[in-house]
Amino acid sequence: MKKRMINLMERRVVVLSLVAFMSMMAMAQDDPVIMKINGKSVTRSEFEYSYNKNNAEGVIDKKSVEEYVDLFVNYKLKVEAAKDAKYDTLQSFKDEFTSYRDQQIRPAFITDEDVEMEAQKIYKETQTRIDSMGGMVKPSHILLLVGQKATQEQQDAAKVRIDSIYQALKSGADFAEMAKKYSDDKNSAVNGGALPWLTKGQTLPAFEKALFALEKGQMSEPVLSEAGYHIIRLDDKGGFFPYDSVHADILQFIEQRGLRESIIDRKLDELAKAEEVSKEQIVDAKADEMAAQDMDLKYLIQEYHDGLLLYEISNQTVWDKAAKDEAGLAAYFKKNKKNYKWDAPRFKGIAYHVKDAADVKAVKDAVKNLPFDQWADKLRKTFNNDSILRIRVEKGIFKQGDNALIDKEIFKKDTTVKALKDFPIDAVYGKKLTAPKEYTDVRGLVLQDYQEQLEKEWVATLRRKYTVEVDESVLKTVNKH
């Protein structure tokens, strides 16, 4: 039997392979190769997918097809570099990519019928459980609150009132009107004391015991619970709600609890067991099948795969590398210093507020011989140690309008400085600059430009390392076939 099953599976693989080969042959005729990167073919449809997605309506900096070629090639070159560096073999990469891909593929294993079956299962289980506990009841009540810390006198007064209400009800007073007038449960009082349908376990123990002892239409004597005194009337009782009336709620429950994923897992377990393969192999095969049928899905998944590689290698080669290369940033700034100018002077320093006049000079003495990036730590350790605040400080590179105290003291503007509570003495310390002196004065701009330089150098290296062939005749047919 097992041998026969293996033969059937082998035959199935052969048939599927033949179908896939024929599909690829047909596709090759309709989807020519537009370029080769490092010897690897890129079809016109892949290029069109990327071009159209990145140049859709609403994109500000739209590119022509010819302009986009260089961007696309550079993207592909970086992905090749990432593969050569074996980033695609890292377990962290595999896990993240598989997680994303499976989000696209797993929903294909579930149908509306599967969800409906789950809904009916949940309904029957709930119905059985509730009916076994005595079904559902719909009560009304009148509540007089008695707090947990109520005195005996307060409890006695509440008992007298609830007994009076009870006697009035027994004498024919309208329950709904009495609830509206006297009940402390304001949510139900506006509806004449009416409560929603309840099952056992949803209410206070003393309330529940008295409620489920009633017959339909019967009213209880005053009942004391943890909340206070109740008079309860049982308005209706019966089994669980009809399926149609709770169908939408059950579907919402399935979505909110993520039960779709549980259904998918069960189906994958069943398929894996039947075909004697792993769940992962089932999903892999489904992904290949769906990608063959849906090119947009194929390229979406590939885009995420390549995007992860691109991010990782770009971070290592350009972004993070530049951010940590302080010497490189300083050298780049020194070489290109003329490119960094301000439209107006800046103040590089601190605006600070102290309690004691002696600390005005002490602050200046503490930082005057230190590099600017060490000021904050020095001031914190010297003046605000052990949770005792002696000063309040704002440090940075300020332009006019950033800080009222600096505007007044440095830029000589007629500005009102709001006094800081508990720190009445104001002072500033630092330098007024007409242009950046160090790369740290404009670090964000320098970092951006330095990253761009590293990027250009990296791409130039990749262009020399990998071959790039573009079929101009196919390029001319993009979005025109």
Side-chain angles (χ1 to χ4, degrees):
M1 180 68 180
K2 190 169 184 181
K3 183 177 181 181
R4 182 171 178 270
M5 182 179 291
I6 292 173
N7 289 336
L8 286 172
M9 290 181 68
E10 288 176 346
R11 196 184 311 168
R12 181 184 176 195
V13 169
V14 170
V15 171
L16 288 175
S17 298
L18 181 60
V19 171
F21 176 74
M22 292 174 66
S23 297
M24 285 190 294
M25 291 297 293
M27 188 179 297
Q29 296 176 0
D30 297 331
D31 192 14
V33 172
I34 196 170
M35 64 181 68
K36 289 186 177 181
I37 308 292
N38 193 30
K40 297 176 182 177
S41 298
V42 178
T43 60
R44 180 176 61 192
S45 63
E46 181 183 350
F47 179 82
E48 285 179 337
Y49 172 86
S50 180
Y51 174 77
N52 293 333
K53 183 173 182 179
N54 289 286
N55 292 275
E57 290 298 324
V59 174
I60 297 175
D61 186 22
K62 284 188 177 183
K63 305 292 184 184
S64 67
V65 171
E66 291 73 19
E67 290 171 332
Y68 191 71
V69 168
D70 273 348
L71 295 175
F72 185 82
V73 168
N74 291 345
Y75 164 73
K76 283 292 187 180
L77 289 172
K78 293 171 188 176
V79 173
E80 283 299 303
K83 290 177 180 177
D84 280 354
K86 306 299 182 184
Y87 284 119
D88 55 344
T89 66
L90 297 175
Q91 193 60 47
S92 57
F93 166 81
K94 292 179 179 179
D95 290 344
E96 187 169 355
F97 168 67
T98 301
S99 176
Y100 174 82
R101 185 206 64 178
D102 289 0
Q103 288 177 26
Q104 314 304 316
I105 304 304
R106 281 172 60 90
F109 288 98
I110 191 171
T111 65
D112 291 342
E113 289 75 15
D114 294 324
V115 177
E116 179 60 25
M117 287 176 61
E118 184 72 12
Q120 292 181 10
K121 177 187 173 185
I122 292 171
Y123 175 80
K124 289 176 181 176
E125 290 175 349
T126 306
Q127 182 186 45
T128 300
R129 176 175 54 82
I130 288 176
D131 289 350
S132 69
M133 295 191 304
M136 303 186 69
V137 292
K138 193 173 192 316
S140 294
H141 80 144
I142 297 170
L143 169 66
L144 295 185
L145 288 172
V146 179
Q148 294 292 316
K149 296 182 180 180
T151 65
Q152 188 62 49
E153 183 180 354
Q154 290 171 325
Q155 292 182 39
D156 293 343
K159 182 65 169 66
V160 170
R161 288 186 65 214
I162 200 71
D163 286 342
S164 176
I165 294 171
Y166 179 66
Q167 290 302 322
L169 292 170
K170 287 184 66 179
S171 299
D174 183 77
F175 193 98
E177 291 302 319
M178 296 293 279
K180 290 177 181 178
K181 187 173 182 180
Y182 296 112
S183 181
D184 289 330
D185 180 0
K186 300 306 179 185
N187 289 328
S188 67
V190 295
N191 296 314
L195 293 169
W197 284 91
L198 301 172
T199 62
K200 284 184 177 178
Q202 290 186 297
T203 62
L204 298 169
F207 184 96
E208 180 179 289
K209 182 179 179 180
L211 171 60
F212 278 85
L214 297 173
E215 295 297 329
K216 183 177 177 179
Q218 188 178 5
M219 181 179 70
S220 74
E221 295 182 356
V223 176
L224 179 62
S225 76
E226 292 90 332
Y229 284 103
H230 310 259
I231 298 173
I232 309 167
R233 186 181 69 189
L234 179 57
D235 298 327
D236 201 357
K237 65 187 303 183
F240 190 47
F241 301 116
Y243 180 66
D244 289 345
S245 69
V246 294
H247 183 241
D249 293 328
I250 295 175
L251 293 181
Q252 185 177 21
F253 174 82
I254 289 173
E255 298 298 334
Q256 291 176 341
R257 294 298 180 91
L259 297 185
R260 278 180 172 269
E261 294 303 312
S262 299
I263 298 171
I264 293 170
D265 283 333
R266 288 202 302 269
K267 294 195 72 174
L268 286 173
D269 286 334
E270 293 169 2
L271 289 169
K273 185 176 180 181
E275 298 190 22
E276 297 183 345
V277 295
S278 68
K279 290 166 62 175
E280 290 73 20
Q281 287 174 299
I282 295 290
V283 178
D284 288 345
K286 189 68 173 178
D288 292 341
E289 176 191 335
M290 292 175 65
Q293 296 171 352
D294 184 346
M295 298 304 288
D296 282 350
L297 176 64
K298 173 186 176 180
Y299 293 137
L300 176 67
I301 293 173
Q302 181 178 319
E303 181 181 49
Y304 192 82
H305 175 277
D306 293 351
L308 288 176
L309 293 177
L310 178 65
Y311 176 83
E312 189 60 38
I313 195 167
S314 295
N315 196 44
Q316 295 290 333
T317 308
V318 177
W319 305 330
D320 195 49
K321 178 181 178 180
K324 293 177 179 178
D325 186 6
E326 302 296 335
L329 289 167
Y332 183 87
F333 173 76
K334 184 177 180 180
K335 184 177 180 181
N336 300 278
K337 192 173 182 180
K338 64 180 182 300
N339 295 333
Y340 300 99
K341 299 177 181 180
W342 288 324
D343 55 357
R346 302 287 195 269
F347 176 70
K348 182 178 180 180
I350 54 175
Y352 61 105
H353 316 271
V354 301
K355 298 179 178 181
D356 189 333
D359 279 340
V360 172
K361 182 176 184 302
V363 166
K364 297 176 182 178
D365 291 341
V367 301
K368 64 182 180 181
N369 293 319
L370 291 177
F372 189 60
D373 61 358
Q374 297 179 21
W375 285 19
D377 189 55
K378 177 66 174 180
L379 294 175
R380 180 181 57 79
K381 291 179 179 179
T382 304
F383 298 96
N384 290 341
N385 208 6
D386 299 325
S387 301
I388 299 175
L389 301 180
R390 287 169 55 187
I391 63 172
R392 297 290 296 274
V393 181
E394 186 177 354
K395 171 181 172 290
I397 298 177
F398 303 87
K399 65 179 182 297
Q400 187 176 315
D402 286 346
N403 181 282
L405 179 59
I406 291 171
D407 284 350
K408 180 179 180 180
E409 298 295 330
I410 302 300
F411 297 117
K412 306 304 179 184
K413 297 296 179 181
D414 185 13
T415 304
T416 300
V417 179
K418 186 177 180 180
L420 197 61
K421 184 181 178 182
D422 299 327
F423 298 88
I425 305 171
D426 304 321
V428 297
Y429 181 68
K431 294 181 179 179
K432 186 176 180 182
L433 305 176
T434 57
K437 300 297 182 185
E438 304 172 307
Y439 86 91
T440 52
D441 296 342
V442 281
R443 192 180 193 282
L445 294 174
V446 175
L447 175 59
Q448 180 178 325
D449 293 344
Y450 186 45
Q451 287 173 336
E452 287 183 6
Q453 175 179 287
L454 293 181
E455 171 100 7
K456 289 178 182 177
E457 293 172 352
W458 180 36
V459 169
T461 300
L462 295 179
R463 290 269 183 172
R464 291 191 295 271
K465 180 178 180 180
Y466 300 117
T467 58
V468 177
E469 303 171 53
V470 178
D471 190 325
E472 296 294 337
S473 63
V474 176
L475 186 65
K476 292 177 181 178
T477 68
V478 169
N479 290 334
K480 297 177 183 178
H481 55 93

